[in-house]
Amino acid sequence: MNPLLIANWKMHYGPIKAGGWVRAFRRERLPKDVDIAVAVPHVSLAAARASLGRASIPSLAAQDVFWEQDGPYTGEVSASMLEEFGVQYCLVGHSERRNHLDESNDMVAKKAAALQKQGIVPVICVGETAAQFKKKETNKVLRQQTTAAIAKLDKESKIPFVFAYEPIWAIGSGKACPSQRAREAHEVIRGVIVKKMDKTIAGNTKILYGGSVDPNNISEYITTTGIDGALVGGASLDPRVFGLLCRTAVPS
Ligand code: 13P
């Protein structure tokens, strides 16, 4: 299984800067045995797509989706609209959306299911707050979030799903989660998938780590059992740094 690295720009880079990032990233020496995607704001999808031209690396990802196909949902974007752009992955349930927009576990589940139906790989983000971490509630929170997120997914679907474990206290803080702690969290997430779906699906599901990943710590995560890649925020904003991360993530 190739490691998967996803750049999450968050609310950075409108169409003009997005095009520049993609062109600069394309000039990087990119490994073949790492899967690479870039999650851009909706308004930058067209520019990113145009700058990619016929290139298939990086894959295009979106940062959010609405669960209905079309209709009176002002401001929302559906999975079929994302598919028109050739979007292959879409984040759902990022903690920043759960926090600032009150996204619930049920909304996350509906979004993930709508993406899967459309043939787009949902990247489901889960993770505990600092307070939950202190109270040793991490595993409980992960079990709840994971169980809810996969509840509406189709076990028989050929479209895989991805999880990203992002402890909220590690996001943008420079305090990355120790890799062994992340490994335990990944085991909890995979355990839920085994229980609610089956062992094969769980074994084939990539679980990424996210939270202050940088060129100094990426290899530690990549070489840890059960960590299948990374979801990168801040360090992905510079295309050269993200290129370096991708090269460093090559399996040995
Ligand atoms: P940072 O890499 O900036 O900590 O962000 C992580 C993240 O939230 C990616 O989705």
Side-chain angles (χ1 to χ4, degrees):
M1 208 155 69
N2 281 353
L4 169 62
L5 253 68
I6 306 180
N8 175 13
W9 293 351
K10 309 190 177 185
M11 200 175 72
H12 294 281
Y13 301 164
I16 295 171
K17 287 196 174 152
W21 188 100
V22 170
R23 285 191 296 277
F25 185 66
R26 293 285 312 149
R27 288 195 289 273
E28 289 292 306
R29 188 166 46 79
L30 297 174
K32 291 223 165 17
D33 37 11
V34 175
D35 294 342
I36 304 168
V38 56
V40 313
H42 287 155
V43 293
S44 300
L45 282 170
R49 165 60 53 218
S51 296
L52 269 173
R54 293 161 75 103
S56 55
I57 302 170
S59 299
L60 207 50
Q63 298 179 7
D64 186 40
V65 68
F66 192 61
W67 53 83
E68 296 292 347
Q69 277 281 343
D70 46 46
Y73 308 103
T74 303
E76 295 298 337
V77 168
S78 70
S80 60
M81 293 172 182
L82 296 179
E83 202 227 336
E84 283 184 37
F85 280 108
V87 164
Q88 283 168 273
Y89 298 89
C90 180
L91 310 183
V92 289
H94 194 283
S95 59
E96 287 149 15
R97 298 193 59 83
R98 292 180 190 257
N99 178 23
H100 298 295
L101 293 148
D102 272 344
E103 272 198 15
S104 66
N105 281 334
D106 187 52
M107 287 156 82
V108 173
K110 288 198 274 192
K111 291 178 176 199
L115 289 165
Q116 189 191 46
K117 275 203 197 94
Q118 198 65 45
I120 298 173
V121 178
V123 179
I124 302 160
C125 305
V126 292
E128 79 284 5
T129 63
Q132 290 164 334
F133 178 69
K134 265 198 207 116
K135 283 195 271 172
K136 301 201 184 317
E137 291 175 355
T138 302
N139 293 356
K140 187 180 98 184
V141 170
L142 292 178
R143 273 190 214 101
Q144 281 168 351
Q145 291 181 335
T146 307
T147 305
I150 61 174
K152 297 184 197 303
L153 292 177
D154 177 6
K155 251 179 82 168
E156 311 302 326
S157 171
K158 291 200 168 49
I159 306 301
F161 55 90
V162 170
F163 266 87
Y165 169 57
E166 298 206 309
I168 295 169
W169 47 271
I171 295 177
S173 64
K175 279 192 287 176
C177 177
S179 54
Q180 288 312 308
R181 175 77 278 278
R183 175 183 178 160
E184 285 172 36
H186 286 216
E187 277 167 12
V188 171
I189 297 167
R190 216 179 293 279
V192 174
I193 306 170
V194 171
K195 202 165 136 206
K196 301 287 174 185
M197 291 189 158
D198 63 48
K199 236 180 150 165
T200 313
I201 297 176
N204 291 334
T205 299
K206 289 183 184 176
I207 307 182
L208 317 180
Y209 167 74
S212 298
V213 171
D214 65 27
N216 296 320
N217 61 24
I218 180 89
S219 25
E220 187 188 328
Y221 293 111
I222 291 295
T223 52
T224 299
T225 309
I227 301 185
D228 307 306
L231 180 55
V232 187
S236 75
L237 290 175
D238 181 334
R240 283 166 307 181
V241 176
F242 191 58
L244 173 61
L245 283 173
C246 293
R247 290 192 292 279
T248 315
V250 172
S252 49

